[in-house]
Amino acid sequence: MKKAEVCFIGRNEAVCRLPAQQLSRFLGQYINVKEWSLNNLDDLTGVVDSDVYITSSKVVYNVVKPHLPERKTIFIADRTINTEHLDHLLELDPTTKAIFATHSKETALMGIEMVKNFGIHHITMYPYYPGCQMELSSEINTVIITGSRNLVPPSIRTVIDLGAKGLDISTFAQLIHHLHLPLQILNKISNQYIHDIMAITVKRQQIASLNSALLNTVTQAIIAVDTEEEVTLLNPAAAKLLQLQEKEVIGQKMTRIAPEIDLRSVIRERQLLRHDFKQIGSSHYILDANPIIDTTGFVSGAVATIRPVSEVQELETKVRRELRLSGNLAKYSFSDIIGESPELKNAIQLATHFAKTESTILLEGESGTGKEMFAQAIHNLSPRKHGGFVAINFAALPENLIESELFGYDEGAFTGAKKGGKPGLFEEAHKGTIFLDEIGDASLEVQKRLLRVLEEREVRRVGGRAVTPVDVRVVAATNKNLVQLVESGKFRGDLYYRLCTLPINIPSLAARGGDIIKLIDFFSRKSYGYPLRLHSELSAFLQRYSWPGNIRELQNIVIYLYNVVGWNEASIEHLPSYITGKGPKAPVAFSDVQIEKDTDGFVHELEMQNVRKEVAAILAEIKSACAVEKKGLGRNALLKRLELLNLGWSEYKVRHWLKILIKNGYLIAGATKQGNKVTEKGNELLQSLDSWKHRDV
């Protein structure tokens, strides 16, 4: 039996797609389906020989009828809402007022009627079409469309797109009757329509049940609002935390029930709130909030989570403790080390060879050359790669803490010692690698104990008598000339020869001239997604520059140039003055900062000195402590907090930057035992530093 040729004609290709798919799905055994739209009115190729034509509307029928062959059957389709997206309407709040936007009054009214026929009566809908002259009040905050996004009024932000309309079952009945097809097909189509509708209802019930269970089970306080900042959801945890009743809160303005929780910027500007500190009543909370963005890309509200500060602090302490007990992870491999210079290749070749041994390795090189990256790569290529990688920086810790960090301590070893004691880093690195960074800064007493551990392969905790065997691979690093230190009596010769079993010299950046442009390209692409454009003179200059800060300084220059020129070409005059010789020479680490600097200038200078993250941590810890404890934070307490963050700064460096922050008006130094407090100017600085952090990401 020859198949009948059926052509569906719509306003455009999008209108034709779903009906054509439905015709093929249900009647493909009996008919061949073609699509044609008003966009192709001048081209009737392959269409004029159809047996039956179906138009999407009466308007389309009137346009195409003169162009079609006479004595051919033409149907005007009865169409219906695509059930696939009806659940978006079911989820609307009962107070919602919406417009149903289509190309004509007839189809708009028909669309509203179809939606109501599917049992959706809980929202108010108005017909909206070109030329209707309807004035949209502020109460109408939602538009329903069937694929025509050009009909969305600019004042309405919540859009529900139901997709193109499909064929009603009555159209199938007409076509089946006209083509003398078996009536049983109609039963099959009817059953499928009913199944689709029931599936939506069941799905919605399942989702509602699951959401309710999740919201009632989760211990975190969750609260949601619509675009008018009226509460739409409040889980039991939030009701308990804010001491509110759900039935009394739903539909109320957030500004009335909890004015401290301001979500306007989240809704209107799509801003994320992250770790925002709030005082509600006499308690302190951390607020996080996200905009609720629907499937069409419009904001329909915001959802916030609220956590007590004490809970967050307890969790952070637990995480830090668990991370330290499980050992640090080495994330770099040799493939992460960028460069092709002979000097770097020689260092990598030695390191890859030495990595496969169990011998102690000494990495020698200037500060900022990437010694820790080499150490991690060595660990990841060694037989111990499945063990822990534990690092300690001797320049970053005060001498009185180094021994207890390295070797651990027993309960009662000193005032403040934890109950049960604490294992040291050598014990944590058992079966793995310990990285002794800046070993040249270790005191002679620590050197003596280190030598014993390396010789005996066992440790004794501070204040303890028992010894614990340890199986560790040692990688040490220094930016100092250890031979000179040995000769001057500042470093033990026997320890030096124990550490220097396999020495590797990490070349300075100045010695890797050919790698400089490769590294600039790598850092700019990694941070900003595109390479910096360098003038040939600037390229030559950078390859001649001495780079006293090595790779760390190079990264800062990439950041500086990117913020100065962006997509444009960078030339020598764009470099900071300390490099070109028109100003002070390269800054010494932790140099002073001028009082006259505004906040932006201060942030930039911190960035150039590579201390932005550390200064931000100091301000954040002082602000957090002041908010919770209602008093300032002293230097000793601050040092303990920064130690938990693994900041890597010595007491001297922290003290130095506290003086600078106080001098510049970002902190207030309290009287004896009152501690430091963050000023309003300091809060602005902290916000600026956080914005730089997001720019890194």
Side-chain angles (χ1 to χ4, degrees), residues 48 50-51 53 65-74:
V48 294
S50 298
D51 299 307
Y53 297 90
K65 191 175 187 303
H67 298 272
L68 297 178
E70 294 183 6
R71 295 186 299 276
K72 290 284 186 172
T73 302
I74 307 175

Side-chain angles (χ1 to χ4, degrees), residues 341-401:
S341 64
E343 297 81 5
L344 181 68
K345 280 189 170 183
N346 181 61
I348 292 175
Q349 185 178 7
L350 282 176
T352 53
H353 181 66
F354 293 165
K356 298 167 187 176
T357 72
E358 287 288 336
S359 301
T360 301
I361 294 175
L362 178 64
L363 303 173
E364 299 175 291
E366 297 175 6
S367 179
T369 52
K371 295 188 290 295
E372 181 162 1
M373 180 177 277
F374 264 82
Q376 292 188 22
I378 287 169
H379 170 77
N380 281 330
L381 194 63
S382 74
R384 297 173 177 268
K385 63 184 177 182
H386 298 298
F389 177 87
V390 180
I392 183 172
N393 188 317
F394 288 91
L397 287 174
E399 186 179 340
N400 62 335
L401 290 180

Side-chain angles (χ1 to χ4, degrees), residues 659-678:
K659 289 181 180 177
I660 291 176
L661 291 169
I662 292 169
K663 182 179 179 182
N664 284 272
Y666 298 110
L667 290 177
I668 295 176
T672 306
K673 295 186 178 181
Q674 290 184 355
N676 303 293
K677 296 181 179 180
V678 179

